[in-house]
Amino acid sequence: MKKSVALLSAALVSAGLTLFPATSQAALPLAVDGQALPSLAPMISEVGPAVVSVSVKGTQVSKQQLPDAFRYFFGPNAPRERVQERPFQGLGSGVIIDADDGYIVTNHHVIDGADEILVSLNDGREFEAKLIGSDRGSDIALLQIEADDLTEVKLASSDNLRVGDFAVAIGNPFGLGQTVTSGIVSALGRSGLNIESLENFIQTDAAINSGNSGGALVNLKGELIGINTAILAPSGGNVGIGFAIPSNMVKGLTQQIIEFGEVRRGVLGVLGRELDNETAKLFGLESQHGAFISQVVPDSAADKAGLKAGDIIVSVNGKKIKTFSELRAKVATLGAGTTVKLGIIRDGDEDTYKVTLSEAEGENVQASVVHPALEGAKLSTYNQDGIKGVVISEIAERSPAARQGLEEGDVIVGVNRKRIESLKELRNLLEDYEGALALNIRRDGSSMYLIVR
């Protein structure tokens, strides 16, 4: 059977639902022999107001290359491509994690491309939300609303979860309104699903469906243990296999977005793979859990800390890890500049190494966090054909950056007569700088200056 993994945000189209009347049955007793029956109702009444509905509107822009015959027919000034714009609407869920500041966490794919984001609270109030920042690689986004009397959910440590722990999913499936389902934690550290570039999912059998994206997965104390993100859906519907981003990943990523406006991903500087049975036997190990290092990148954080090829990482900050994918997700979540303790097995002996993570280069970041005049563009480090700088990897039409004359593919090699070779250098140069910029740009093999304000 072919596997199909579905993201959970629901488009505002006819869902084709068929509703059947409920059969009548006698009301259940509230107590038996004077003892109250167990119920999730008290916990839901406290946590429910912290789970919100997120509706979005936007315009999808698609570009289609025109055939050469078409351009020849209409002359040399004919357009090279046809641009089509299609409006879209969508629904998802979100979780209030800070009532005082109005911060709401949801999935990146829920708000991706949205021009308008509307948050509906459980009490009926609606607010327009501001996008503080998002991270495509982990599928996390942070919104903010200005509102009083909000309810927040407390974050639990997802590192303490065990398979078999009870889990409750709260969200907005199919736009029906807030819905609660329950189940257990079915598995931990799920990866290899090709949903996101950083995967370390909690798997649960609590029923979640389209529209649950960004909703809460909580424990029986009402504490957040994950953000619901995707389901395995061979038939297109729920089959009891859902996936959530662990709360510790959510906490680390949202803290970075709040502080920097973006995720400054940490990098260890190793290449490797899962520790399988064959590799474990070759190295005389009984355990098959851990991340096998096949190569250490020269001058990387791992190299400076003394890690070597052949080392096996078995824990991060005292918490056991099972796979290389889990290691990668945990390290990237902690952020650049963070010092971590890694449990290492080398030549059969276990030791602990402290590593200060370096910053990932080449990541796409929203240019607005670098300078307001660049809003609408995405930037990444560029190093090709002897040219080093910062490339505009994406740019939104009619955005401030586009109106300034910037184009996709432009490589910024200098700012205000100062040479730059990386995104990090550009951020450092423009930190707290608010004036006009003189950008030295490489475009189509030639050099030019562009003044942006």
Side-chain angles (χ1 to χ4, degrees):
M1 182 181 294
K2 184 178 180 180
K3 292 183 178 178
S4 173
V5 179
L7 297 174
L8 304 177
S9 56
L12 284 180
V13 295
S14 175
L17 297 178
T18 302
L19 304 179
F20 298 93
T23 57
S24 60
Q25 52 183 226
L28 292 173
L30 298 178
V32 175
D33 294 333
Q35 302 223 351
L37 292 174
S39 172
L40 296 174
M43 181 270 284
I44 298 301
S45 66
E46 293 185 7
V47 177
V51 182
V52 304
S53 174
V54 180
S55 58
V56 301
K57 295 180 180 180
T59 303
Q60 290 179 333
V61 179
S62 61
K63 297 181 180 180
Q64 182 180 5
Q65 290 292 126
L66 296 179
D68 289 338
F70 177 91
R71 293 169 54 205
Y72 176 79
F73 181 77
F74 285 97
N77 295 324
R80 293 176 176 270
E81 57 188 11
R82 181 175 62 180
V83 178
Q84 290 183 320
E85 295 184 356
R86 294 181 179 179
F88 73 89
Q89 298 179 0
L91 279 178
S93 306
V95 184
I96 301 173
I97 58 171
D98 189 322
D100 292 334
D101 291 322
Y103 287 129
I104 298 171
V105 65
T106 185
N107 286 135
H108 169 83
H109 76 261
V110 171
I111 54 81
D112 189 22
D115 299 320
E116 179 183 327
I117 304 173
L118 190 67
V119 168
S120 301
L121 304 185
N122 201 27
D123 60 13
R125 291 183 292 165
E126 292 185 341
F127 299 91
E128 187 171 341
K130 175 184 178 183
L131 176 61
I132 301 301
S134 68
D135 181 50
R136 184 184 299 273
S138 59
D139 202 13
I140 283 293
L142 187 68
L143 311 176
Q144 188 177 35
I145 60 174
E146 294 184 6
D148 297 323
D149 301 322
L150 296 177
T151 299
E152 68 184 37
V153 62
K154 180 181 178 182
L155 270 68
S157 174
S158 52
D159 285 342
N160 296 330
L161 285 177
R162 301 169 301 171
V163 174
D165 285 346
F166 286 106
V168 178
I170 312 175
N172 180 37
F174 300 113
L176 292 173
Q178 190 170 103
T179 301
V180 180
T181 56
S182 66
I184 63 170
V185 173
S186 305
L188 296 168
R190 286 293 194 217
S191 60
L193 304 175
N194 298 319
I195 306 172
E196 303 161 7
S197 60
L198 296 175
E199 297 184 342
N200 183 31
F201 291 117
I202 301 167
Q203 182 182 323
T204 180
D205 66 346
I208 50 181
N209 291 282
S210 294
N212 273 102
S213 273
L217 189 69
V218 300
N219 59 23
L220 294 185
K221 295 180 181 179
E223 299 168 331
L224 188 72
I225 58 176
I227 294 294
N228 298 322
T229 298
I231 57 174
L232 189 66
S235 59
N238 179 272
V239 293
I241 302 178
F243 303 100
I245 301 169
S247 58
N248 284 6
M249 281 187 66
V250 173
K251 181 179 180 180
L253 293 167
T254 54
Q255 285 178 343
Q256 292 178 56
I257 292 174
I258 291 171
E259 184 175 357
F260 306 114
E262 60 176 320
V263 172
R264 297 188 175 180
R265 211 177 305 288
V267 173
L268 184 57
V270 299
L271 302 177
R273 55 188 175 85
E274 319 300 354
L275 181 64
D276 55 22
N277 183 49
E278 184 179 1
T279 305
K281 287 182 178 179
L282 288 173
F283 284 82
L285 300 174
E286 295 182 2
S287 174
Q288 296 180 27
H289 290 164
F292 177 77
I293 299 177
S294 58
Q295 180 181 347
V296 176
V297 177
D299 203 35
S300 65
D303 187 29
K304 294 175 181 177
L307 272 64
K308 298 180 179 179
D311 287 346
I312 298 164
I313 302 176
V314 294
S315 68
V316 177
N317 289 334
K319 300 293 183 179
K320 297 290 185 181
I321 62 167
K322 294 183 178 181
T323 64
F324 194 88
S325 297
E326 184 179 356
L327 168 70
R328 183 169 175 265
K330 284 181 177 293
V331 167
T333 302
L334 291 171
T338 304
T339 299
V340 297
K341 294 181 180 179
L342 300 180
I344 304 291
I345 294 179
R346 178 183 297 171
D347 298 330
D349 297 323
E350 187 167 351
D351 201 353
T352 301
Y353 285 76
K354 289 185 178 181
V355 183
T356 300
L357 303 177
S358 55
E359 185 172 350
E361 292 289 351
E363 295 285 343
N364 273 349
V365 302
Q366 298 289 346
S368 57
V369 304
V370 177
H371 193 280
L374 304 178
E375 182 179 351
K378 289 187 178 181
L379 308 175
S380 59
T381 295
Y382 183 89
N383 184 5
Q384 293 182 24
D385 302 322
I387 299 174
K388 295 182 179 180
V390 175
V391 66
I392 297 179
S393 53
E394 295 180 35
I395 190 165
E397 293 194 15
R398 299 189 298 275
S399 65
R403 291 196 297 267
Q404 299 276 8
L406 291 167
E407 298 180 3
E408 185 175 321
D410 285 350
V411 180
I412 303 171
V413 296
V415 179
N416 298 342
R417 297 184 298 170
K418 294 184 179 179
R419 180 76 177 172
I420 62 163
E421 295 187 349
S422 68
L423 186 56
K424 183 176 182 180
E425 289 184 7
L426 178 62
R427 282 200 302 246
N428 291 339
L429 183 62
L430 297 184
E431 189 172 4
D432 300 325
Y433 181 83
E434 298 179 354
L437 303 177
L439 302 180
N440 185 2
I441 293 174
R442 296 278 300 180
R443 178 185 295 173
D444 297 329
S446 61
S447 180
M448 60 181 289
Y449 267 97
L450 192 65
I451 308 300
V452 301
R453 297 176 175 84

